[in-house]
Amino acid sequence: MTALATPSTHTLGNPDPRLDAIAQKIHAGQRLTLDDGQALFDTPDIYTLCELADFVRRRLHGENAYYNINRHLNYSNVCALSCKFCEFFRKEGQSGAYTRDMAYVKQQVQDAVENGATEMHSVGGLHPRLPFSYYTDLVGTIRDTARALGSGLHVKAFTAVEIVHLAKIAKKYDVNDRRAGIRWVLTELKNAGLGSLPGGGAEVFDDRVHDEAYKGKIRSDVWLDVHYVAHELGLNTNATILYGHIEQRRDRLVHMDMLRRAQDVALARLGYAESATVPELQSDKVVDSQLSTGGHLGYTGDEGGTAPPITLTRPGTLKPLDFITHRNATNAATPQLNAHRSPLTTTHGYFQTIIPLPFFPDGSDLERLPGPSGLENLRTLAVARLMLDNFPHAKAFWIMQTLPMAQLMLQSGADDIDGTIVWYDITKLNHAAGQGGAHDNTRTHQEVDTRTLERAIRQAGFTPIERDTLYRRVIRDGKSWRV
Ligand code: V47
């Protein structure tokens, strides 16, 4: 069972002196150890924890807080797996099972474009019988329908779990060379119009938890492989962590450490160098062995590892997007970093944001569990912001956190609350049912308008910035938009 002890003492004005040394490291932009993370999780002094996360968040983003205009499109809820935490999946023929056809997809794209969306986020179950061509059609239909309407709608689609499933369907998956199959699938999808990968399917990178709650799903090494190949191909990706079920806080910390190691590798590939405060342009100095190991195999905790730690939280360090812009501006003849990348996409290939997802027990096989408390949600977000020093963004996904909670999170490490969403089938909260929201299995229409998102951000004391999927500022002119 999870150790989710709620601190019994009120600590406002009673700071925990054990956090002093950790605070010094954070101010200096140094990487925290797993034990530092444990101390942050276990302290009763949640105020200092949130303050430290807010310090880092402000160093990276100042007063800015991001949202986007997006739409979720779950193409099918039919799934070969039966993960215990999941209330979304249905078996083929079961009541409530659905698979969308391209006419439906086109309609969704038209509605999305009409409403000014810049992103379509599309994921689904592992359908046992859809052919590979369904998925390239899906991506192509989204891109082409939007293009015909004059929109550059970004297609963010398929978790790492789906990508591996597609490699198997296409008969390209070889366990002895799994990256080859993954690369084949991602290249096909990218050619069809895929722009980035969402962060789902990671759950918690721990084999015990995996075997108990989502056996049959890919393990951490394969999930990280998919993101490694996506980065290699120049696609940006996100990462999630699903917490508050049967994992321990330590498992969350290990998960975060594995992610930041994977990000070290991605940033090294982009040309970041460990020693420079403002990173130098050293793309030619990336050591091959760093890239080929992926940095996560043979996980050894804080000691060891294959790529040098690269933190973005030291004063003056450029965030990846600024770094790339700077690099491209100052080095017109940027060398081709990797043979698999096309010149058009050499600018990207890293993790953008960490998205902590609180477990919703209702309707799942783990319904007996209470789910995380509000304080645990704050803690996990704040710890994630502090541990993941090389992730530019931390997202409080409002639809799962609720808007009031997302506001607190903006003051505790988050810089992004996601978007207008419209339809969300994976967890069903009735936001009209009160401050916290209540579970409602029939509600999948969960839309907010941009005024509501902007107001929530302003009320939390920040400046709302509309971003696109790649965190570029969106500029609107009537019905059209550009970045
Ligand atoms: O992978 C499923 C989670 C994820 C439950 O990349 C549950 O921008 C809580 O990944 N309780 C899908 N969580 C959602 C996701 C996501 C969402 C928003 C933005 C982005 C992004 C990614 O939802 C799954 C799983 O971890 N999930 N069931 C549940 N009962």
Side-chain angles (χ1 to χ4, degrees):
M1 287 292 288
T2 325
L4 296 180
T6 308
S8 55
T9 45
H10 195 281
T11 56
L12 195 57
N14 184 20
D16 180 353
R18 288 170 303 180
L19 300 186
D20 289 352
I22 299 175
Q24 274 179 20
K25 285 169 94 172
I26 291 167
H27 290 136
Q30 288 168 8
R31 178 154 292 187
L32 302 183
T33 63
L34 291 184
D35 287 344
D36 293 333
Q38 192 72 51
L40 291 167
F41 257 132
D42 293 343
T43 180
D45 184 5
I46 194 165
Y47 298 98
T48 299
L49 166 62
C50 292
E51 208 175 290
L52 288 169
D54 183 54
F55 168 82
V56 165
R57 175 247 185 271
R58 283 175 192 274
R59 187 176 264 177
L60 286 166
H61 304 290
E63 301 284 310
N64 292 347
Y66 304 94
Y67 71 93
N68 69 346
I69 302 187
N70 64 349
R71 181 169 286 235
H72 282 244
L73 167 59
N74 297 123
Y75 57 85
S76 176
N77 62 356
V78 175
C79 190
L81 300 179
S82 307
C83 298
K84 284 188 185 167
F85 63 80
C86 183
E87 60 159 319
F88 169 66
F89 75 86
R90 297 288 181 276
K91 296 298 167 191
E92 234 182 339
Q94 191 185 342
S95 146
Y98 64 79
T99 301
R100 307 302 187 195
D101 60 19
M102 292 309 136
Y104 179 93
V105 172
K106 269 187 194 162
Q107 189 58 55
Q108 286 295 312
V109 175
Q110 280 162 6
D111 289 353
V113 169
E114 177 63 24
N115 286 292
T118 59
E119 169 187 286
M120 186 66 95
H121 178 152
S122 189
V123 293
L126 306 190
H127 197 294
R129 287 187 315 105
L130 284 175
F132 182 73
S133 58
Y134 175 89
Y135 301 92
T136 44
D137 278 357
L138 175 72
V139 172
T141 301
I142 298 173
R143 181 190 60 183
D144 296 344
T145 309
R147 267 192 191 167
L149 296 167
S151 164
L153 189 72
H154 179 107
V155 189
K156 179 173 87 178
F158 309 122
T159 66
V161 186
E162 290 161 273
I163 296 297
V164 171
H165 179 63
L166 299 198
K168 289 178 181 166
I169 289 175
K171 304 211 176 339
K172 298 287 179 189
Y173 199 68
D174 172 358
V175 282
N176 298 316
D177 187 9
R178 57 189 184 223
R179 285 187 186 172
I182 293 166
R183 189 171 292 119
W184 185 88
V185 169
L186 286 174
T187 305
E188 293 289 310
L189 293 172
K190 191 177 161 195
N191 290 340
L194 183 72
S196 63
L197 292 189
E203 322 317 356
V204 169
F205 293 158
D206 178 80
D207 289 350
R208 174 194 71 83
V209 181
H210 173 276
D211 291 355
E212 210 174 316
Y214 32 93
K215 204 178 167 89
K217 213 166 213 179
I218 55 172
R219 284 183 193 271
S220 53
D221 52 350
V222 185
W223 190 96
L224 287 164
D225 259 359
V226 172
H227 286 255
Y228 174 87
V229 175
H231 296 162
E232 199 179 52
L233 292 171
L235 297 169
N236 280 1
T237 70
N238 294 335
T240 54
I241 174 168
L242 178 70
Y243 65 91
H245 44 96
I246 59 164
E247 91 293 1
Q248 304 284 327
R249 284 171 167 170
R250 192 76 181 185
D251 300 330
R252 294 181 216 165
L253 288 166
V254 168
H255 183 103
M256 292 172 196
D257 189 41
M258 289 169 85
L259 284 176
R260 71 184 175 181
R261 284 157 184 270
Q263 180 79 323
D264 284 338
V265 173
L267 294 182
R269 187 194 283 115
L270 288 178
Y272 273 89
E274 178 200 12
S275 53
T277 302
V278 176
E280 300 291 338
L281 305 180
Q282 296 194 355
S283 50
D284 52 338
K285 295 198 182 140
V286 175
V287 184
D288 248 14
S289 62
Q290 288 170 3
L291 301 182
S292 59
T293 61
H296 58 271
L297 298 175
Y299 178 73
T300 54
D302 283 317
E303 309 309 321
T306 47
I310 295 162
T311 63
L312 302 176
T313 54
R314 278 182 294 175
T317 307
L318 295 176
K319 285 176 292 206
L321 208 50
D322 300 330
F323 174 75
I324 289 159
T325 310
H326 174 71
R327 184 194 67 188
N328 291 353
T330 54
N331 185 4
T334 304
Q336 189 76 0
L337 296 180
N338 191 295
H340 302 296
R341 302 171 137 216
S342 79
L344 285 176
T345 56
T346 49
T347 53
H348 299 112
Y350 57 90
F351 287 108
Q352 304 186 118
T353 182
I354 176 70
I355 311 157
L357 299 173
F359 169 55
F360 277 71
D362 293 1
S364 79
D365 275 3
L366 298 176
E367 209 163 24
R368 66 184 188 282
L369 299 178
S373 67
L375 286 176
E376 196 61 22
N377 290 341
L378 266 188
R379 245 177 224 286
T380 305
L381 181 269
V383 172
R385 178 58 283 173
L386 293 169
M387 292 297 287
L388 288 164
D389 52 27
N390 54 11
F391 273 52
H393 300 280
K395 186 189 285 189
F397 183 42
W398 75 263
I399 208 131
M400 285 169 80
Q401 300 286 3
T402 74
L403 260 185
M405 192 71 199
Q407 288 180 309
L408 276 174
M409 290 181 158
L410 285 175
Q411 299 189 348
S412 311
D415 58 275
D416 183 18
I417 58 173
D418 205 79
T420 46
I421 297 175
V422 186
W423 298 100
Y424 197 68
D425 296 357
I426 296 176
T427 51
K428 293 150 192 115
L429 253 195
N430 181 356
H431 291 274
Q435 279 296 86
H439 184 266
D440 177 349
N441 206 31
T442 60
R443 271 181 87 96
T444 64
H445 184 224
Q446 308 191 57
E447 184 170 8
V448 290
D449 57 22
T450 51
R451 267 192 13 191
T452 307
L453 292 177
E454 292 201 356
R455 188 173 55 224
I457 290 171
R458 280 208 190 86
Q459 284 172 339
F462 293 94
T463 307
I465 306 284
E466 188 194 338
R467 61 160 179 90
D468 75 345
T469 308
L470 305 177
Y471 286 87
R472 297 172 300 192
R473 190 188 278 258
V474 172
I475 299 155
R476 292 199 175 264
D477 181 12
K479 283 210 153 192
S480 64
W481 60 269
R482 62 193 159 82
V483 288

